[in-house]
Amino acid sequence: MRTNKLAGRLILLALFGFLYVPIAVLVMLSFNESGLPTAWSGFSTKWYLELAGNGDILGAAWNTLVVGVSATLLSTVLGTMLAIGMETRRRKSSGLEALVFAPMVIPDIVLAVALLSFFSKLNVTLGLHTIIISHVIFDLAFVCSIVRARLKHFDYSIVEASRDLGGSAWTTFWWVTFPVLLPAIIAGGLLAFTLSVDEFIIAFFTAGAGRSSITLPIQIYSMIRFGITPEINALATIVMAVSTIVLLLSQWLNKDNLQ
């Protein structure tokens, strides 16, 4: 019994090591004094200071923020409306369920090519606006699934009580339904923001030409083609830290749905 438990712990430790040791090494090397990506020569934060003075990176960070915030707001509103509509629908449709959640299971490269073809067919000029639209389509299903999970445990008797007391449909939604759904809505929005900030393939295909639509993942890709530097490690560390914090906050807000 003890041998099996020890073997299980060793396997789990090896798995976590395989997943997180490379990330830990990347973070450590981002504080490397040396310009060499693998030779440690002392602790320094100069690479983070250089990031602050790099106009290309700051521009890409701003574009990422614009895309992330815009896609989050749109996908959160639309995803919440979609979740309420689907959950209160009397006739359930497996075909509709598959259609709504298809972006979650379709490979990113397939979705990216499809969106690029769609925009090209409509003669839409590519730019930040096409990235935002693409990310809304991608994020919508995730927000919808989180809000629907909250609705599964929703007590509809309080809605009936509100209507019996004379509350209108809007008053009932704003003062009864919305406060109950708010943690799930925020969690879905935070997850959408994380996915949008980290997403590369769809953004790469729908970004268009010029630096005006370059996001941080695309900027990192363009830099990494010429070799790994501590500056890239620092940038990757910042992106990863922001994504992790937002994701953990999303999971904390959505903890009731996970139980």
Side-chain angles (χ1 to χ4, degrees):
M1 188 70 177
R2 290 184 177 179
T3 304
N4 293 336
K5 185 179 294 186
L6 179 61
R9 290 179 178 177
L10 290 176
I11 293 173
L12 186 62
L13 182 62
L15 177 62
F16 278 111
F18 177 78
L19 292 174
Y20 295 111
V21 167
I23 297 176
V25 171
L26 181 146
V27 174
M28 181 186 68
L29 291 177
S30 69
F31 295 98
N32 188 11
E33 173 72 25
S34 172
L36 298 175
T38 57
W40 180 265
S41 62
F43 182 88
S44 176
T45 58
K46 70 176 184 179
W47 303 110
Y48 290 89
L49 297 177
E50 287 195 14
L51 286 179
N54 191 315
D56 291 341
I57 291 177
L58 293 178
W62 173 253
N63 290 338
T64 299
L65 184 62
V66 170
V67 170
V69 172
S70 301
T72 297
L73 292 176
L74 290 172
S75 62
T76 301
V77 173
L78 296 176
T80 301
M81 294 171 60
L82 180 61
I84 295 174
M86 292 186 65
E87 195 60 31
T88 56
R89 180 184 171 93
R90 292 185 178 180
R91 289 187 57 187
K92 304 298 181 181
S93 172
S94 57
L96 180 61
E97 296 272 348
L99 181 64
V100 169
F101 296 109
M104 297 176 65
V105 296
I106 293 177
D108 287 359
I109 185 67
V110 175
L111 184 60
V113 172
L115 288 168
L116 177 60
S117 302
F118 176 75
F119 291 135
S120 300
K121 192 69 174 179
L122 296 180
N123 294 320
V124 176
T125 303
L126 300 179
L128 280 184
H129 58 288
T130 53
I131 300 179
I132 292 171
I133 294 172
S134 301
H135 280 190
V136 169
I137 295 173
F138 178 68
D139 294 339
L140 193 62
F142 292 93
V143 176
C144 180
S145 63
I146 291 177
V147 177
R148 284 191 71 187
R150 185 75 170 181
L151 284 168
K152 295 290 185 182
H153 305 284
F154 186 77
D155 184 7
Y156 288 94
S157 64
I158 60 176
V159 175
E160 297 174 0
S162 175
R163 300 301 296 270
D164 290 341
L165 291 173
S168 64
W170 171 251
T171 301
T172 300
F173 172 78
W174 185 251
W175 294 104
V176 178
T177 307
F178 181 73
V180 176
L181 297 181
L182 186 58
I185 294 174
I186 296 176
L190 291 174
L191 178 60
F193 181 79
T194 302
L195 294 171
S196 184
V197 168
D198 291 343
E199 206 286 318
F200 166 74
I201 297 177
I202 297 175
F204 183 77
F205 273 77
T206 59
R211 294 210 56 84
S212 60
S213 58
I214 298 296
T215 60
L216 271 179
I218 300 176
Q219 177 66 29
I220 293 175
Y221 172 74
S222 64
M223 294 170 62
I224 207 172
R225 288 184 300 171
F226 302 101
I228 304 293
T229 66
E231 190 176 19
I232 297 177
N233 291 335
L235 180 57
T237 300
I238 293 175
V239 173
M240 181 176 58
V242 172
S243 301
T244 302
I245 292 172
V246 174
L247 183 59
L248 290 175
L249 182 58
S250 172
Q251 293 296 309
W252 179 76
L253 290 171
N254 199 40
K255 61 183 179 181
D256 291 338
N257 294 337
L258 300 176
Q259 294 177 351

